[in-house]
Amino acid sequence: MASHLVTGNGYGFAVVSPEVGAVTKFYAHPYSFVAPDPQKPLSEGIETTNFITSIGWTNPAGPQNGSYYVEDSHVIAIHSYRGDLMAFMPFGFGHPALILLSVPANSDERLQVRWAHDVDSEKEIEFAGAMGSSSGRVLHFSGVQESLLLVPLESVRHETKKQPLSGSRYWALISIGPGEDTQGVFSEFNQWRNGLTPNSMAKRETQQLERWRVKPAVHFASEEEQHLWRQSEVMLRMAQSREPNREGRHGNGLIVAALPDGVFFTPWVRDMAWATVALARMGHREEARAAVLAYFNAKPTGRMRAETGGADYQISVVRYFGNGEEEPFFTQEGSTNIEFDDWGEALWVLGEYLKRYDDSDLLQAETYRGNLYESARDFVMKPLLANTEPYGGGLIVAADTSIWEERQRDKKHFAFSTAAAIFGLREFADVAMRAGDEKTRSEVLGKADALQKGFDAAFIRGGHLRGTLEQGVKNDIDGALIPIINFGVVKDPTIIRDTVERMKLLKVVSGGYRRVRGTYTDPAIYEYWYEQEEFLFVDLSLAELYRRLGKTGEADAILARIVKKAAADHDIIPEMYVAVPCKLFPGKVGDPTGALPMVGYGAGAFVLHVMERERWRAAGGK
């Protein structure tokens, strides 16, 4: 069961289906939902425009010879007995643009497009520039804000009105936003093209990508692992929005949790945290800095003050719409969510970036709520502390829905949320020292110590580390306990060994581990199935803990299995593997499923694990 391939340039996405050998989606933005729907406040929001249902050959039926990423890039090659097709969205061009290069197997073959919307009108457009004159066609669609500029990259022949792509082998499809200057975009495209032939454009794209890469500071266990690293590096880049901030749109730098194989390619705070730290540690400073700034420029936020003790806050309690507005709910639950761990993870990201780069200017950068340091202090750190409560002579974070996004009606005191507050505040203490704010540094360290005391009392009981303060089989053993240990919040070797031993309760037939022991009994509920599948973030977290415990063989086996399975699936890391086949998660046991390609909890978690392995080896581990 092969995953779909995705290309993107930070302004939009396109999707290729290997099964049919065609491009099946072309999105006008790099996220699934543009903004909230004022008519349906608890809906997913206003969906991003997709222009097509397919672009392929006249008759795509028949065996497909395969699709792949060219040189571990975002350039996709599609081979079939009808002909070859190449698709990519160029990073050097600041608009959603899909470049198509086709080589038909015979003279009868033509590119064929099926639009996702009815065409209302079309208009020819001419451009005369330094490289000579060129022409294009602008299509307007029924009920769609954006229009589409079609630019042939060679002379047009044998075109039919119903099939506008049939007259050329090479095309650029460019989304034009409402009010945008079409002629100006056309001019920008011609400048970017710089007179190159279509094949030279594709070659330039892969060459520029190679120059963007950072030389890995790790030793790879195999060629397959190296390819997965390179492809994961590109996945992280594709997932970040490059749309400039402007009135009504403040999402520049946000990173979606997954690339589009469905509609849930949305920026989640915590998934973005893992992606950002991966970019920072790899050496991609520009992208990591843009992501940090995105946390502090996204707006409007602070929508759930009634549920946060009246505290105003900057970092979303769940995720964002593409335009940067807070989306404080996960609507498959049908209600709002509060996830306090997001605030601790955002502070962790800020600290990690500043440890890697001595960027004193960042703390003084002007953001939505003042300079970045003051915003982090007053609208992340302070609201986090305001949502703690006494326990066991210390503090714990208030009840929330935490890392696994429980239903709000089932909110609990989660170990992960208090742990995230501990490691986030400890990171922020160093940030405060950089800012010369000794008073805040001292306060933060004191609160972190109080949270550690409360954590130990609340979540280490009867010799076991537990996922919630409240009793219950579901979180008694919890995959989220493993990253808590990896972050150093739990240090007792006896408790750590016991937690690792109890992880066998989460082992599934596909070979890895699920998140929790699901307690839903109704198969009509999404979580009933979701909580039975293997979750790769848990697998990678456990591999890291094995490595810390000196169990390198077990750690290597987990990683090698993920690498091997990704190598057989275009070097894509999914959210999950099928453990219990069902309608929601079809396929054979062990097939990739869920959101894919996964970004923060996929490519990012993989990169961070490989770097942790390198750090461990350098410190004398095997």
Side-chain angles (χ1 to χ4, degrees), residues 245-267:
N245 290 337
R246 58 172 174 75
E247 184 65 31
R249 183 187 294 164
H250 304 278
N252 179 266
L254 291 176
I255 300 174
V256 293
L259 298 181
D261 189 12
V263 294
F264 297 112
F265 47 110
T266 298

Side-chain angles (χ1 to χ4, degrees), residues 564-579:
K564 183 176 180 180
K565 290 169 75 70
D569 190 31
H570 315 298
D571 288 313
I572 286 171
I573 300 177
E575 179 185 25
M576 300 185 292
Y577 294 138
V578 174

Side-chain angles (χ1 to χ4, degrees), residues 33-288:
F33 298 100
V34 177
D37 185 342
Q39 306 303 317
K40 301 175 183 177
L42 281 180
S43 73
E44 294 290 352
I46 299 170
E47 195 167 341
T48 290
T49 296
N50 166 46
F51 290 107
I52 64 172
T53 58
S54 71
I55 297 176
W57 299 109
T58 307
N59 181 8
Q64 308 300 322
N65 295 334
S67 305
Y68 61 91
Y69 287 110
V70 176
E71 299 176 18
D72 310 315
S73 72
H74 59 300
V75 178
I76 303 170
I78 310 164
H79 295 309
S80 77
Y81 81 110
R82 293 287 181 182
D84 294 339
L85 183 62
M86 186 175 284
F88 67 94
M89 297 186 69
F91 277 110
F93 181 53
H95 298 272
L98 175 62
I99 309 298
L100 299 170
L101 286 68
S102 67
V103 181
N106 59 67
S107 59
D108 294 330
E109 289 297 338
R110 294 284 187 275
L111 279 182
Q112 175 176 279
V113 61
R114 292 172 56 201
W115 301 118
H117 312 274
D118 293 334
V119 177
D120 267 354
S121 64
E122 50 188 282
K123 178 184 177 182
E124 298 295 327
I125 183 173
E126 298 288 334
F127 173 77
M131 297 294 177
S133 61
S134 55
S135 62
R137 178 183 298 176
V138 181
L139 304 184
H140 298 273
F141 299 92
S142 177
V144 175
Q145 283 191 323
E146 297 87 356
S147 55
L148 191 63
L149 172 61
L150 308 183
V151 181
L153 305 179
E154 67 172 3
S155 299
V156 175
R157 296 178 295 176
H158 310 300
E159 179 185 307
T160 65
K161 187 172 181 61
K162 289 186 177 180
Q163 286 300 330
L165 302 187
S166 63
S168 176
R169 296 175 299 164
Y170 310 120
W171 288 93
L173 281 62
I174 306 171
S175 174
I176 306 294
E180 199 166 17
D181 177 13
T182 303
Q183 191 73 44
V185 174
F186 201 174
S187 173
E188 284 183 53
F189 175 76
N190 280 287
Q191 290 175 9
W192 169 81
R193 182 182 179 184
N194 197 31
L196 292 178
T197 66
N199 286 318
S200 295
M201 291 162 60
K203 185 176 182 180
R204 178 182 64 177
E205 192 69 18
T206 56
Q207 290 174 337
Q208 289 178 341
L209 183 68
E210 289 302 317
R211 289 194 289 272
W212 168 81
R213 294 185 191 274
V214 175
K215 183 179 179 180
V218 299
H219 297 85
F220 297 109
S222 65
E223 285 190 21
E224 285 184 339
E225 188 176 279
Q226 183 176 17
H227 283 298
L228 183 54
W229 173 283
R230 285 168 53 84
Q231 195 63 62
S232 295
E233 186 178 27
V234 175
M235 297 298 187
L236 290 165
R237 190 185 195 195
M238 286 196 288
Q240 185 170 43
S241 174
R242 284 174 158 71
E243 290 186 331
N245 290 337
R246 58 172 174 75
E247 184 65 31
R249 183 187 294 164
H250 304 278
N252 179 266
L254 291 176
I255 300 174
V256 293
L259 298 181
D261 189 12
V263 294
F264 297 112
F265 47 110
T266 298
W268 258 273
V269 172
R270 75 174 61 82
D271 297 69
M272 179 171 153
W274 257 259
T276 305
V277 173
L279 285 164
R281 290 186 184 175
M282 291 177 92
H284 288 295
R285 177 175 180 169
E286 181 180 337
E287 286 76 12

